[in-house]
Amino acid sequence: MAGTRGAERAAAPGVRPGKRRPEPEPEPEPQPEEPSLLYTPASSHGDNSDSGPSDSEESVFTGLEDSGSDSSEDDEGENGASRNKGHSGTVETSGEQVQAGPPRTEMVRVQSGDEYAEDSSDEEDIRNTVGNVPLEWYDDFPHVGYDLDGRRIYKPLRTRDELDQFLDKMDDPDYWRTVQDQMTGRDLRLTDEQVALVQRLQRGQFGDMGFDPYEPAVDFFSGDVMIHPVTNRPATKRSFIPSLVEKEKVSRMVHAIKMGWIQPRRPRDPTPSFYDLWAQEDPSAVPGRHKMHVPAPKLALPGHAESYNPPPEYLPSKEERLAWEQQEPGERKLSFLPRQFQSLRAVPAYSRFIQERFERCLDLYLCPRQRKMRVYRGHSDLIRCLSVSPGGQWLASGSDDGSLRFWEVATARCMRTVPVGGVVRSIAWNPSPTLCLVAAAVEDSVLLLNPALGDRLVVGSTDQMLSAFTLPEEPTLQPARWLEASEEERQAGLRLRICHSKPVMQVTWHGRGDYLAVVLATPGHSQVQIHQLSRRRSQSPFRRSHGQVQCVAFHPTRPFLLVASQRSVRLYHLLRQELTKKLMPNCKWVSSLAVHPAGDNVICGSYDSKLVWFDLDLSTKPYKVLRHHKKALRAVAFHPRYPLFASGSDDGSVIVCHGMVYNDLLQNPLLVPVKVLKGHTLTRDLGVLDVTFHPTQPWVFSSGADGSIRLFT
């Protein structure tokens, strides 16, 4: 029997172990002399009888090595005969041949075939055995993984270009359902069931066609009272006896409540809580903590234009309406167009309500809670004068240390220092934006400097304008001498020097930038002199004196010159060469003077701590006298754009006031003190010596006797 089976195995070497074999033919009845099925290792050497395989050999015939996919059977078919021949016939060992035990082997094979006869597994036969690892690890290798036998699975050659792919797409009707297997790199054709599954998932449906998402819900516990209980188990005895553990817990909680360790839960208010940042502020206590405190910005009050029935002059015409629509939103004077309604009930809902509330919240959110102060340090002695460039980028200062310094406003950095060898009593930047020129009063001279800051074209045009002047053939007699700067002085920035016979106390420019007026510290009619830059001419406009002149100022729009003496302010018409008006400030000694940008109002500061406001159209007497400072006023200034004016005093403070001038001639100016700014320290009983505003921003500069310049924003 053993020989017959061995012959069958030898005759059919292509049959693989572990697979279902065809039904064997009926064999004859076993003879009594057939050896036992049990395998004894000792008998394999004693006689030549058949012997069964060992445990290691048994695993060879169990079919585990051939559990791969059917695709690998072709590769392994060539070696199938040699494998079966090695396992079925004899096993070669050192020095002898041992015959394998075919009865035991056949029983194992039949059992393994029956085991896999009924295979109901739906699991896909995966060739690649790399496991759950990223396939990007194999990007640099020619293979994509390993099969069950440990052999490499090579990537298919992709030598087809886009044209070949397009032709395949046109020729192959199943191209649309062909996908690439990422595990093996081969192309797979989806079945109809798989395509239907993909389409259902794309439509957002369930993968199983038999699943009904709208099945009626089964109520396991209904609200109806049942006659019989769900469970009829009798209650335990423990449920009728009070629990000692619960008693201890309750006693502990009662003790904690008595001691206040446990607080009762209060019901929470579902409404959101909003609070005002400025609601709890005490006006008397806040300035003590923050000297530069800023109150909450107030909402602008509505005017006549916001009325539902405004006056006819507030209603825009067709041309004004068309011009308003063509303007940019930031350039419009009003963010809305006034409209007229017969009654308040006819007013529709305001479309910009949400936007205005949001902008108001932004104003409150972005409002600085404290004023920031920038300090410019560099001078070693008191700073007498300040001047800001027309663009607002540069700041010039003169000090008693004999130097001029030019600062960058944004960074407080000293850009240039020009030593002049004397006390700088006054400094003025040319107001013309086409010139980069600074006039400084040093001893008995007026120095005209080009600081070479800003636009290079403006700097070059300034030097070109100064060098284009030609001396007249017949020099005229003038009260001042115009001298060109030397080569060494030109390297320092000096261009011209206007020499006088007496010390110069003040220098100021006309609005157009061609004329400048100076005040000399000398008695007589030659205290005030006017110089013309383009022609380099000087003149003394007055023939007699009316007292010691303190300061002068040009009218911003009209050909007027304001001259302030100790007790009065005279207004002269330069073209008519006559006295137009004489203002009486009722002060002991006038110290400073400033003219409103509109030209109809004037303020004067005095050494007896008074600030006097004049309305030129109203009267020659003061419209209002402000006594906010405790010591002498050194400087006053108007803002070029905003309705603000400031005053600096020897008490070390700068007071900023709101001065609103209306276009209506019947309405008087509105003067309201805004803020007291402190930062300078008193030095030799001197405080703030000069005050000036930024030309475009609501910033104020102040120079003090402590040698510092401070910027309040």
Side-chain angles (χ1 to χ4, degrees), residues 472 474-482 529 536-540:
E474 297 181 0
T476 58
L477 184 61
Q478 298 184 13
R481 292 178 297 120
W482 294 69
Q529 294 186 8
R536 297 189 184 181
R537 296 177 57 184
S538 303
Q539 59 179 334
S540 179

Side-chain angles (χ1 to χ4, degrees), residues 244-259:
L244 298 179
V245 178
E246 294 181 357
K247 178 182 179 181
E248 185 178 357
K249 289 183 179 180
V250 171
S251 61
R252 289 180 181 177
M253 296 175 63
V254 170
H255 179 67
I257 293 175
K258 289 181 179 180
M259 299 298 295

Side-chain angles (χ1 to χ4, degrees), residues 557-601:
T557 57
R558 304 178 68 182
F560 289 160
L561 178 67
L562 288 86
V563 180
S565 60
Q566 294 184 1
R567 296 294 183 91
S568 63
V569 178
R570 287 179 168 83
L571 184 64
Y572 293 95
H573 199 293
L574 296 177
L575 297 181
R576 300 176 184 175
Q577 299 181 3
E578 62 181 9
L579 177 64
T580 302
K581 193 171 294 185
K582 181 180 179 181
L583 307 178
M584 303 301 297
N586 296 332
C587 298
K588 295 181 180 180
W589 199 306
V590 176
S591 62
S592 53
L593 175 69
V595 186
H596 193 272
D600 295 334
N601 296 269

Side-chain angles (χ1 to χ4, degrees), residues 146-291:
Y146 303 89
D147 58 5
L148 290 175
D149 294 333
R151 292 177 304 205
R152 295 180 179 179
I153 301 176
Y154 290 94
K155 301 177 183 177
L157 295 178
R158 298 288 179 176
T159 59
R160 306 174 65 83
D161 55 2
E162 294 184 359
L163 181 59
D164 296 336
Q165 294 179 5
F166 177 75
L167 293 177
D168 290 345
K169 183 178 180 180
M170 295 292 102
D171 298 339
D172 188 5
D174 294 335
Y175 183 84
W176 62 275
R177 63 166 65 193
T178 303
V179 296
Q180 183 182 1
D181 187 3
Q182 297 294 334
M183 296 294 294
T184 60
R186 300 178 183 273
D187 293 337
L188 299 178
R189 179 181 175 277
L190 299 180
T191 61
D192 295 339
E193 293 78 7
Q194 294 173 343
V195 172
L197 175 61
V198 172
Q199 292 177 353
R200 285 197 303 271
L201 295 178
Q202 288 179 347
R203 291 194 298 266
Q205 299 176 357
F206 290 93
D208 188 6
M209 296 182 60
F211 180 76
D212 185 10
Y214 305 105
E215 291 182 355
V218 178
D219 236 348
F220 293 98
F221 298 95
S222 62
D224 301 335
V225 180
M226 302 174 64
I227 301 176
H228 302 286
V230 179
T231 59
N232 200 13
R233 187 184 63 181
T236 59
K237 185 179 180 181
R238 186 187 306 172
S239 62
F240 299 96
I241 301 176
S243 175
L244 298 179
V245 178
E246 294 181 357
K247 178 182 179 181
E248 185 178 357
K249 289 183 179 180
V250 171
S251 61
R252 289 180 181 177
M253 296 175 63
V254 170
H255 179 67
I257 293 175
K258 289 181 179 180
M259 299 298 295
W261 301 337
I262 298 179
Q263 297 292 339
R265 294 184 180 179
R266 298 177 181 177
R268 295 184 178 180
D269 190 5
T271 59
S273 60
F274 301 101
Y275 58 94
D276 188 2
L277 291 175
W278 289 273
Q280 304 297 330
E281 289 183 349
D282 187 5
S284 61
V286 169
R289 301 194 312 269
H290 307 288
K291 296 182 179 180

